[in-house]
Amino acid sequence: MRIVVTERAETSADSDPSLAAEAETRRAADSSERAYNTIRKLLVEFKLKPGERINEVQLSRSLGVSRTPIREALNRLASEGFVSLTPNRGFFVRSLSTEGLLDLYEFRSIIECAAFKLMCERADDSEIDRLRSYWEAIVDAYPDQPPDVILAEDEGFHLLIAELSGNPELVGQLSSINARIRFIRRIQIEHPSHDKAQITSHSAIVDAAVRRDAENGMKLLREHIEMTVSATQQALKDALLKVFAPGNGADLKRRRRARDA
Amino acid sequence: MRIVVTERAETSADSDPSLAAEAETRRAADSSERAYNTIRKLLVEFKLKPGERINEVQLSRSLGVSRTPIREALNRLASEGFVSLTPNRGFFVRSLSTEGLLDLYEFRSIIECAAFKLMCERADDSEIDRLRSYWEAIVDAYPDQPPDVILAEDEGFHLLIAELSGNPELVGQLSSINARIRFIRRIQIEHPSHDKAQITSHSAIVDAAVRRDAENGMKLLREHIEMTVSATQQALKDALLKVFAPGNGADLKRRRRARDA
DNA sequence: CGTCAAGAAAGTGTCGACACTATTGCGTTC
DNA sequence: GAACGCAATAGTGTCGACACTTTCTTGACG
């Protein structure tokens, strides 16, 4: 590994300049929170690679904090499924295998369909109209946005459905799922295979919502999600090839240990 | 609050009765894990009451460890929804209001129905037979078991369905839900309103599984869960009345001096 | 040459201490 | 007597240190 996040950037090829360490003599007070966000970002961006062991000391040096907030962040990330913890051996980046990915998308499909159905049953007209106007407000510019914006708007769309279901548990679950697959979705959006079929999907879903047609809406959602799975799989393979690519393979030592994650 | 955790009388679930007195000056090495289990148990058993602020120092003294493993455990519990964290003010026991309970049961219903459907589609005959034999092996003695056993067997039944769905995410989610509502379910089982209708429900669900009748099975599951919700609500109210001093009404107004030892 | 064991190095798990923040209790002013 | 500071206290957030465990290195032995 070798993360460089501090001010003394050596191989600052593509590191994010966002976290300036403003290192005064002042203590932070929210180091854990920042560590959580930073580490999650590292995971999302493949800076920490699947299956890799996470070195707390290195991380703490990189982030300029002690190991305590690092460990708190890692514990949270472990609960959320980003990393796994092996006693006395430390945290490992959870490898998201292809089948694990399918499971996650399947789970997402379940949540979203249920949310849509509940929304149709419970949301009043003004709430449904919020969904419609949310989508109408962004649909025109949608295809021309940068990937990050597309991703955020898409997540917002689906999250709004979850909110309108009236069940906060669904909102929380969908948020968690989104976080876990965000890096893959981003890869997929940037991948050449990404087409604009999402737009018609979303529009059709809005129509179904307005008509309170739960059955049809769920079908659309299922297809909408399944459609992206195959494309995503290919994009993921390409991305993994790029990450684990040639020369830098020095990190990959032969470690024959059965470590499921 | 007043927690009294006797030295090593913890979750007697399957703890090894190993050396206790021998290792006096020995350090633990898995304090976090034990703290996690112990605190979760305190939450489940209402020793820590909904809305109450959690005092880390007190807890650490009670458990005989430093605050570090306590905080790691609390962080995990926060990710899992047992407690909430307010910056600079600490951890609070998450109050499970009645509506929060309904949301949780609704979520559970969604997960279970989806799992049943997937099981019908994917599990082979021998796996379905595992479900049948699991239930047949316990059905006769079921009504006469103590509450803890009933609870464990019931959870095992539903968890097995989740496993047979082939999606590990569903298993994890259901486990998490189970943990969060376990204390309520236990209260409900001990409550006089608890009847034995569960048995016919489970048997009918097994039948539907054998016939691979996903539609009917999901309907049964939904009813099975909904049936317990109303009974649980009443049981919960009684339990809360018993836990909180009579006639308080307010959820989290409880303030206690830290003077008690 | 390869195997293996003992020691060295690296890394995790836990602790006590301290800085900073929120809360409580007390005295002052109007 | 009530509102408002203002000191004292209690409690959280973070740190550096150290004990214990795992992993790597080295060197003796077959």
Side-chain angles (χ1 to χ4, degrees):
Chain A
M1 193 189 57
R2 179 142 193 105
I3 310 165
V4 180
V5 201
T6 40
E7 51 277 88
R8 69 176 70 203
E10 300 162 9
T11 67
S12 66
D14 54 341
S15 71
D16 194 315
S18 65
L19 35 122
E22 69 178 86
E24 299 309 315
T25 54
R26 197 63 168 275
R27 236 202 273 179
D30 64 336
S31 302
S32 284
E33 184 68 18
R34 291 209 326 265
Y36 172 82
N37 289 322
T38 308
I39 296 173
R40 211 171 79 159
K41 198 172 178 192
L42 291 175
L43 290 167
V44 157
E45 294 178 348
F46 274 123
K47 299 272 172 56
L48 290 166
K49 293 168 189 161
E52 190 177 82
R53 181 176 184 169
I54 296 178
N55 188 322
E56 298 172 11
V57 179
Q58 246 179 61
L59 252 187
S60 70
R61 258 193 293 247
S62 299
L63 304 198
V65 297
S66 86
R67 278 174 54 224
T68 305
I70 299 286
R71 283 183 65 83
E72 295 203 350
L74 287 173
N75 269 289
R76 286 178 57 186
L77 291 166
S79 289
E80 294 169 25
F82 283 100
V83 302
S84 64
L85 171 58
T86 309
N88 283 321
R89 287 186 20 91
F91 293 88
F92 292 79
V93 180
R94 196 184 133 153
S95 54
L96 195 60
S97 62
T98 303
E99 70 188 76
L101 185 71
L102 290 178
D103 291 334
L104 205 49
Y105 268 105
E106 186 173 83
F107 181 45
R108 183 177 160 218
S109 181
I110 290 168
I111 299 293
E112 294 224 36
C113 288
F116 188 88
K117 190 174 170 206
L118 292 174
M119 176 186 72
C120 286
E121 294 170 2
R122 293 183 191 155
D124 59 37
D125 290 343
S126 72
E127 288 177 317
I128 296 284
D129 204 61
R130 265 178 63 204
L131 180 68
R132 192 188 52 73
S133 57
Y134 175 93
W135 178 240
E136 278 191 2
I138 60 176
V139 61
D140 289 333
Y142 193 75
D144 305 320
Q145 301 285 0
D148 283 340
V149 176
I150 289 182
L151 187 50
E153 289 178 345
D154 180 73
E155 284 186 8
F157 178 80
H158 292 277
L159 219 47
L160 184 52
I161 293 176
E163 280 168 22
L164 298 183
S165 80
N167 190 332
E169 291 292 332
L170 297 184
V171 180
Q173 287 298 333
L174 189 55
S175 299
S176 173
I177 296 170
N178 277 340
R180 280 170 67 188
I181 59 177
R182 187 171 295 139
F183 67 107
I184 290 178
R185 301 196 62 202
R186 190 171 147 175
I187 288 166
Q188 194 249 323
I189 287 175
E190 290 173 349
H191 196 266
S193 77
H194 180 67
D195 57 11
K196 312 303 190 216
Q198 277 193 329
I199 294 179
T200 53
S201 278
H202 282 184
S203 297
I205 289 166
V206 170
D207 285 345
V210 171
R211 295 195 317 273
R212 309 258 178 180
D213 186 347
E215 284 307 318
N216 195 32
M218 285 165 69
K219 180 161 158 285
L220 287 167
L221 270 171
R222 241 188 313 266
E223 290 170 355
H224 176 54
I225 294 172
E226 274 170 13
M227 192 176 62
T228 66
V229 169
S230 54
T232 300
Q233 275 186 291
Q234 185 56 48
L236 174 64
K237 273 179 194 155
D238 293 354
L240 281 175
L241 275 180
K242 215 161 52 181
V243 168
F244 285 117
N248 72 352
D251 292 347
L252 286 179
K253 297 184 178 171
R254 335 272 176 254
R255 208 171 262 153
R256 301 300 275 182
R257 275 298 193 117
R259 295 261 159 257
D260 74 334
Chain B
M1 181 181 60
R2 180 151 195 110
I3 311 164
V4 180
V5 181
T6 46
E7 261 31 23
R8 49 188 96 83
E10 296 175 7
T11 67
S12 57
D14 51 26
S15 65
D16 59 328
S18 64
L19 53 132
E22 188 245 315
E24 194 70 25
T25 56
R26 198 68 171 269
R27 238 202 274 179
D30 64 338
S31 302
S32 284
E33 185 68 17
R34 289 208 327 267
Y36 172 83
N37 289 320
T38 308
I39 297 173
R40 211 171 80 159
K41 199 176 179 192
L42 291 175
L43 291 167
V44 159
E45 294 177 349
F46 274 123
K47 298 275 173 49
L48 291 167
K49 294 169 188 157
E52 190 176 82
R53 181 175 182 171
I54 295 178
N55 189 321
E56 298 172 12
V57 179
Q58 245 179 59
L59 251 187
S60 70
R61 255 190 294 234
S62 299
L63 303 198
V65 297
S66 85
R67 279 174 53 225
T68 307
I70 299 286
R71 282 183 64 84
E72 294 202 351
L74 287 173
N75 269 288
R76 286 177 57 185
L77 290 165
S79 290
E80 293 168 25
F82 284 100
V83 302
S84 63
L85 171 58
T86 310
N88 282 323
R89 285 183 24 89
F91 293 89
F92 291 79
V93 181
R94 203 186 117 149
S95 57
L96 195 60
S97 64
T98 303
E99 70 188 76
L101 185 72
L102 289 179
D103 291 333
L104 204 49
Y105 268 105
E106 184 171 86
F107 181 45
R108 182 175 161 223
S109 181
I110 290 167
I111 298 293
E112 295 223 36
C113 288
F116 189 89
K117 189 174 171 205
L118 291 175
M119 177 185 72
C120 286
E121 292 171 2
R122 294 181 191 157
D124 59 38
D125 290 342
S126 72
E127 288 177 318
I128 296 283
D129 205 61
R130 266 177 64 204
L131 180 68
R132 191 187 53 72
S133 57
Y134 175 94
W135 179 238
E136 279 191 2
I138 59 175
V139 62
D140 289 332
Y142 193 75
D144 305 319
Q145 302 284 1
D148 282 341
V149 177
I150 289 183
L151 188 50
E153 288 178 346
D154 181 74
E155 284 187 8
F157 178 81
H158 292 277
L159 218 46
L160 184 52
I161 293 176
E163 280 167 23
L164 298 183
S165 80
N167 190 333
E169 291 292 332
L170 298 183
V171 180
Q173 288 298 332
L174 188 55
S175 300
S176 174
I177 296 170
N178 277 339
R180 280 170 66 186
I181 60 178
R182 186 170 296 140
F183 67 106
I184 290 179
R185 302 197 61 201
R186 193 172 145 175
I187 288 165
Q188 193 251 325
I189 287 176
E190 290 172 352
H191 196 265
S193 76
H194 180 67
D195 57 10
K196 314 303 192 216
Q198 277 194 331
I199 293 179
T200 52
S201 277
H202 282 184
S203 296
I205 290 166
V206 170
D207 285 345
V210 171
R211 294 196 317 273
R212 311 258 176 179
D213 187 346
E215 284 307 318
N216 195 31
M218 286 165 68
K219 181 161 156 284
L220 287 167
L221 270 171
R222 240 189 313 264
E223 290 168 357
H224 175 54
I225 294 173
E226 275 171 13
M227 191 178 61
T228 67
V229 169
S230 54
T232 300
Q233 273 186 290
Q234 186 55 48
L236 175 64
K237 272 179 195 156
D238 293 353
L240 282 175
L241 277 180
K242 220 161 48 181
V243 168
F244 288 114
N248 67 336
D251 288 349
L252 37 94
K253 268 302 185 64
R254 201 115 288 228
R255 279 250 182 83
R256 247 345 215 286
R257 285 291 180 75
R259 283 278 169 258
D260 63 344

